[in-house]
Each structure stands twice: as structure tokens, then as C-alpha cells.
Amino acid sequence: MAISELTAPPESESESESHATTNAPVADIVAVHGIFESGLEAWTDTHAGILWLRDLFPHKRYNVRVLVYHYNIEAFSSPGDGSADRILSFANNLVAELYADRQFAHALRRPIIFVCHGFGGLLVKRALAVSSTKRAQNVVHLRSVFISTHGIVFLGTPHNGVKMELVQQQALQVDSPAPSQFMLNLVKGSEILAEITDQFAPLMKRFAIYNLWEQRKTKLGESSMYLVEEDSAAPAYMDMAEKCGIYATHNEMVKFSGIYDHGYRVVLGALERYIAAAPKLIRERWDKDVEALERERQIEAEESSKASLRYLMSDDASKPNRNEWFMIPRCSSTYFTGRRLHAQVVREKLGVVSHVDEANRHKICVIYGLGGSGKSQFCLRYAEDNRSRYWGVFWVDASSEENAENDFASIGQQMGKGATFTSGMHGLSQCTKPWLLVIDNADELELDVSRYFPVGGSGHILITTRNPQVEMFATVGHLRFGGMEPEDAVSLLLKIAFPQDESPSPRSESRQTAQKIAFELGYLALALANAGTSIRRNIYTLEMYWRHYTGHRKEMITSKSIRTPGEANIITTWEIPFQRIASQESVECRDAVDLIHIFAFMHFESIPKAVFKKPWDSIETRRRVHESSSLSQTGPELDEESQFRLRKSLSILYNYSIIDHDPKKRVVSVHPVVQRWAKDRLSEVDQKRWLNTAIAVLTQCISPLMEASGRKFRRSLLPHIEACLRGLKELYSGFGPNTAERAVEIERFAWVFAENGLWKRARTYQIAILEFRKKKLGRFNPLTIKAQYSLAQSNFHLFDIRPCIMDQRSILMAHWFTRSFADWLTWPPWFPEHVPYCTTLSDLTLSLWFAGRLDWSKRTGERAVKGLMKRLGPDDPLTLTAMFNLARTYHHLRDQHASRALLVEVLRKRKRLFGPDHEDTLMTRNELGMSFCVARDHLPAAERLVSNVLVARKKLLGEEHAYTLWSMNDLAKVLTVRQRPHEAIAILDKVVRIVSRTLGEAHPGMSMTKANLTQAYVRAGRWADAETLINDLVKSVPNDHPDSTVAMLGHIYVLTEMGRIEEAEKDCLKVLGVIAKEKIMSANSPRALMIAEQLSLIYLKQERWDDLNALKINYPSIDPSGKQQFNIWLV
């Protein structure tokens, strides 16, 4: 990219300053080419070889410099290039390079006149928008391009984009490459064009503009067409600009060989007028801008001084911009207007941002009012404007409990605590840095919004609601949002309706009509925005809208779905553009109608555009979509046409203000009032049809493979899954599957719940799916087995081990009977070895280990490893999982040699296959470290292994994830063995608090933690604490569970060390009696032998030889010397 000067200045730049000033050029003409021809070629007549900007244009007569800006057109035309960021990058380059050229020419305040061809005009518009924003001291010099620009000649610039037919025709050419994303972004209605237009619209009145369009078609293959049509080159919204057609093709319209060529005199006349007027106007503009900037600097200095004083007077000891987290669902509307007084009041109510509130309570401000009054938009803008004041800005959607909990889980995940509701709440509660929390849409009467107030006093909380009773939770006051201030309302309406114009004068007829419309709309922000869009889109003129609106509202207000006049205003303004779209026969309008029907059954906030990226007929049930729905009839491949049509339909809805769109986050949103009406206006039959379509759309986004790469995206589907399930409950009186297709859909939703740790929710649906499939398909059907497998996984993660084992045994039996004929021939047939059977054995090994059934766990594990080794080989991930599960069982059976051999092999292969930080690898490393610990050798290595795993899990999973807590327990074990019990106690005290808060007192993880803490207390000599804790543990573990033996072992050990020998002996005899009677474990299991060994030590100490000999007869494995073989704390 570079700038070429086609004309030398009249005098050498080395002349004296006064002389140069006298004869310096009066203006710079900057030519920017399009994307079909580059550099000087675009401006040169190929037949005559005339570069008209140099050879024809009388630059000496006008005393001007002529510059040509070059850029690499291949960067836009190549597939994969030309994104919005690329356009912005080129715009920044244009500003920087033009500034540099003018700096060295000592011409920073010289007027600029742009001559743009095609896309070059869009680039200049973006560049001027960029330059206009440069007000900070370190970049204010780049603002000179914006200030100095006086005129722009647009030649064939596609302000409104190009027709899709152009892209299609280019793609049909034999030598033409596939259309690039950039070319698709130039198609009419694209978001990028809308963004450029929105940024340039407020600036247009500063410039003299001439729009020219081609009047001859360009030949493309066998057909001819206009590359840029008149309505795009000279759009209606630029009605203050001059306009004229040029009888030439798109490329020829900027190539002149003589003064009588078509269009040359028009261009020359425009340039002459701009050159004559520019010097005076630009001088005045510079004077005003310099003065305005000086005032801004003075105000900034005063505010900085005041801020410093407030900073010194308060405890706010952070940097001016302290923000690290900014988690809001979307940006505020570019048309946001007014509410300045409200923002000031809220800021004053919330007060100074400090690290900890003196009263240790949050400052809560409640904003309540009508739906559509702009509460959420106000909070979005307030969050953006005050972002730098807060360490973190967070947003919670409280429209349902499930959505609120999901948002807090996301906060916890981002803060590195864990992806759970309690982790997010606790993270904010413990944070001493200032944060802002917006609790949005807390409208439900049954909702206890105080449940979402974190404990502590570092936060500012804004609540938006339609329920005025929420006001009771405000600690610093509340605001009632109704209509906007009348003048603000009129300004908003006119700003949206006529973005290219200055507001009509207060006495003009147009402004008076706008005042009438704003009054009838109740000054509601959403209604005003919808009305303004309808006027801007030329559905009605300002005057016609006033007449037609009242008639539409009369029809709307009689609907039973309308609850308030405010809703009638909003819905009427929405229905007017929607009916306009629905009445159109074009494909994109039909698509837009279909989309809004689908949105009606999803959650209204943050609908990912990616849910529609797959072809619509891949939805598993085509019958659910309207036959007329063109999007449902796209081909099986995700082709460019269907992508374009999706963007087009979304663009239509956005341009009519029916949806909101955040291009950065790639999500769309629908106002809840509008969404409810979009659903209520449908018949019950249509509601069911579109609900089923929405479910199908979500289902096809959930891959059966559940790839790890899609986990973040699937998490974003949670609120929309919840919305669809609520719809099923409302329309079908329940969510249970009644068809095979519905079972598939609910099953995939359950997978997403399970993946995000919502195991109870997942289990509820999985039980229903399993019962349905058993009844309809039979227990041995592969889909039934698949459903039971998912249920077993949920039960395992909920530590409901008995049902888990029952499910796995049922799956095992099903695999026994459903094996292939070849597998039946495998000898012996009563020991199957086919892969599904062996993988189920492996799962059962883990469950039996967890249940303490170590002997059975060993049997199933050895069979699983043997079968998978034979069928899949030693390097298959399924084989490695089976080996790991068996190694863990060996570890608890005290067979350390066998356990360690398996662990070393599994670790080596998992590191190679998955990498060092994969969870499977981390689990193996952790288990190997504990193997060293139990054997009491290589203790430094054990500590290093477990510590490293803990660090990795904190980073990858969060501080409060179950696996992280497990690692903390294991590290505490190692520290205790290494005679550092006080460090272990500090770790375990923290774990106890986390487990109590996140998992509950009854969770098995609490029993494990308390057992380890008891051991640390013993090593630290805190016998009373150890006894209290072990007594609680004994009471909490069921007698028929193998872990009860471990708890009693600890209890016996503490009693023995405290000299209470009789109690210890009684407990030993009691436990051995239970083992013999209940058969909860074999007599030669390590845990049974540990009890017997502890009793033998008591007999030995009391010299009760007869009792000792009788004990050895029943338990011959115990050491006759009285030396302990087993450490009760490490099992």
C-alpha cells in the first residue's frame, strides 16, 4: 500500500517558507480505486493510454496536488480474505499513510477532496469514520484527515451493496475463482455495509458529496448487468448529495480520454466547485475543532483533578482503568438516546467505587418499569460508560432460575473457580476488588432475586424488572422507567428515521408530526425505535405512519395477548414492519418470517448465529418446517448461497429493528415483549410446528460425538434448550418423549446438561428416555443401551453408585445377548471379549472400585484389560482407560507393584496420545504420585507429581472443580506423610468449606476430606479435633458401605492413641463381626486385615496370647511380630 503523487507542486518544497506558502497547492485531490483494477490502471484509458488525473485534469490551473492511493486488491478478492477487520485495517492504513504524506509536504491543514471508485468509496467512508474518533492526545494528529476533508466524489460506490446476481454471474465464469467472503459481504443487506453506513451517516452533513452511477451494463459471460445499480450508488438516504448517471460501464466510468467524454465535465465541475469552496470552509473548521479540543482537554484536566481528590478521599486505590472482566451479552444500541439524567442519578446513588463497603453490604439500585422502556439498553450503556471504574462487569439474565444459574456458572468459570452456580456466587462474594453486577429481566413474581446477591460488600448491583415489588431489595434507591423525556423521544425517533439528516427545526411540520407519533407511542424507547425503522425503511413516510399506526393499534389492542397499552404500542410498531416483510414474495423475506417464528421458541437473549450454519434440511424432521420455507429447502451441503440467504434474512430483521444483532459476539436477540407476541400471534398448531422446528435446529447443532472443541458453543445453547423444554411442557403437558425422534432430541439436550455438570437435570430426562425406549424398542436395542449408558454416567457423577452399577450390569447383560455370530464363536463363549462388552466391564470396574467392592473390581478390570488388549491393542484409548481403572483397584488392594507398572505404561502412552495437560493424563499422573505416597518411597517425586496436577487442574478446570478438590486432598495426604501436617490442615480446611458450599455435607467428597483431615490432626497431635471429626465421619457413612470400615479404622486408631483401649477393642470386634455377617468385603481384603491387625496390636500390648493366637487362625496374613503392615490412612 502506498500513495503516488501524479503532479509536482508548482514550487519546489525546498523553497523559502514564505514563498512556498504563497504558491502552495490549495487542496489535495486523493483518488482511491476499486477492487476490479488496481493503482493507476483504474484511472487510465486503455485505448488512448491517458491517465486523466495527470494528463487531462488541469491541476496547474487549480493549483492542486493529485494523489493516488494504492492497496492490494487481492487481499479482498481472495477466498477467506476481506473480512470486516480487514476493511478496518485498510482504513487505518489509508488514514496513517495520507497523514504521513501530508506531514512531509507540510500540508496537514490543506483541504482534501476524495475521488473514489467502487469499493474505494466504502474504504474512504470507513477511513473518515476512523479518523473522526481520534481525539486522544497520542492519536489526535490522525484526526486531521477528517477535519480537512471537504468533498467526496463517489463513482459507482455500492453504498447499499451489490446484487447477489453479480456474485453468481462472476462465479459462473470459467476462469473466475469462487466468490470470496468479502464479495459476499458487499451484497445488499450485509451487516458490514450496514455498519459502514451507520458509522458514516452522522458525518455526512460535513461533506460535499456527489454520487455518480453507471448507465451501461458490463458484459459477464453470456449476460450483461450493472455491477452497481443506481439505487445503491445514489441511495435515497443520501438525498442531500448531488447525483448523476454516466453513460459508461462500471470500469469505464472512471477512464476519460477527452474533455467531452461522458461524465468528465460533471466530475470536473464538481471538483472545481469543491476546490473553490474548500480553503475557507476548512480553515473555519480547523479553528472550531482546535478550540473544541482545547475545551475538552481543560474539562478532562478538571475532571482528572476532581477524580484524584475523590480518589484520595476514598479507599479507591486502583488505576484509572481497572477493568479486567467485561461480561455483557451484547453492546448497546448505536441509536441510544437520552437517559443522561438517569445515568447521573444511578452513578450518584451507587457512589464512589471502593474495594470494600464500610457497612459490608452491596449497593443495590433497582430500575423498574414497562417492558420496552429501555431498562436493559440503559444498563448496557451504563456498563459501557463506567467500565473502567470496575475490576469486573458481569451480567446475569434472571428471566428464569436456570438462566441465572447458568450465567453465574459462566462467571465462576471465567474467574477460574469452576463452572457452577455456587462457584460464581462465591467468586464474587470473596472478591475484594470493585465489581458491577447487572441482574436483568427479574420479572417473575415468584423469583427471589435476593438469592443472586453475593455475600460481601465490594459490589454495585443494578436490577431491571417489570415487577415494582423488587424495589424492596434496593439499598441505595430505585428508578422508575416509563416513557422517555418528550424531546429525547422525538430525537430518538428522528435519529433512527432520518439518520442522514439533521433533526428538523422545532417548528417544522416534520418535527411536529414526530412529536405526535412519540406521544401516541407513550415515549417508549422500543416502540420509538421500531417506528423510526419503519419510516427509515420507507414502509411509510413520517406523515403516513402517523395515520396508519393508529389503525393498526386499534386492531392490536383487542387481542387477548396484549396486557398493557405499552405492549400494544410496542407490538403495533413491531407488527407494521413484520407484516411488510411477510407480504413480500422474495426468498429472503420468507426466510426472515421463518426465523422470527423459530426465535419465538428460543431464549430471547444471545441466540448464536452459528445454530443456523448447518443446512436446514439436515434437521432430522423436515415435516416440521413450512413447505414454503425456502431455507428448509437448501441442499445437503453448506453452500455459499444458503449462508448468504441466512445473513440476508437476519439483516432484514435487524434493519427493521425486529431483532438486535451484535456482530462481535455473533449473536442476535429479540426483545421479550416482541418475542412473546411472535409466539402468541400463532395458532396452537403453528406454535407446535415452530417449537418442533426450534428443537430440531438445536438438536442438529449437538454432534453425536460431543467433540471437546464444541463444548463452549454447546454451553451457549443451554438457555435455548431450557426455553424449548418449557415450550414442550406448555404445549404438550410434559417433556417426556412420545416418538423416536423426540427421544433423540431430548437425549441430546440431556448430553449438554451432563457435559456442563447439570447431572440431576440430565438424569431426569435420561430416565424418561430409557423407559420410552425399553417400551418401544426393547431393552436390547442399541439405542436403549445407549440411553442406559448415559444414565449410568449421570448416576456415577452424582455418586449414586448403586443405581449406576445396576445400570452397568444391565448393559453388560444386553451386550452379552446382542453380540454378533462371530463373537458367539469366540471360545469360551461365557467369557465374551467383544469391545462393547469389555468397555462396559471397564466402566463397571471403576464403579465397583468406588463402591469399595475391590475383589469384584479386580475381576472385572482384569477381564476388561485382557479383552480390549486382544481386540484393540495396548495403545487404544479404551484399553488405556481399562488399564488405569484396574491400576487404581490394584492400588487399593495394596498390590503396588502391579498398580505402578500399569500406571507408568498408561502415563507414557497418554502423554504421547493426548498431551501432558489432558485430563486423562493428569489423572494418571496424580494416581502415580499417590502410588509413591502409599509405598512411602520417592516422596519428593510424589509431592511434585500431585502438586503439578493440582496447578494444571486449577488452570484448566477452576479452583472449585471436583477433580481440583480431589488433587487438593491427595496433596494433603502427601504432606501429612512427609510430616508437614499443618500445611495439610490449611489445605483441607479450605476444601471442607468449598465442598460444603458446592456439593453439600452428604457428598462422598466430604467424607474423604474429613478422613484426610483427621489423619492430619493426628499427625499434628490435635487428638480432640481428630476424635470429634472421626465421630462425625462414622455417623455419616452407612454401615453397609465399605467406607464405613475405613471410618471405623480411623476411629479405632484415635481411641488407641488416646489410651482408650477397651473402646478400641470393642469397635474392632464389632467391625469384624459386621464384615463376617454382611459380607461387605472378603476376610482377606486389606481393610479387613487392617482391623484385625489393629486388634492384634491391642492383644500384643496386653499380652493376651490366647486371644492373639485365635485371631491369627482367622486372619493368618497379619504380622505376628506386631509390626503394622498397613497404613489405614492411605487406603
Side-chain angles (χ1 to χ4, degrees), residues 964-966 968-969 986-996 1005-1006 1009:
T964 307
L965 300 178
W966 193 304
M968 293 173 73
N969 264 283
I987 293 173
L988 293 170
D989 280 341
K990 183 177 181 180
V991 175
V992 167
R993 292 192 297 272
I994 296 173
V995 173
S996 176
M1006 182 62 82
T1009 305

Side-chain angles (χ1 to χ4, degrees), residues 364-383:
I364 304 173
C365 181
V366 175
I367 301 173
Y368 69 92
L370 298 171
S373 56
K375 303 182 295 295
S376 298
Q377 281 292 331
F378 171 81
C379 289
L380 287 169
R381 180 56 63 91
Y382 185 86

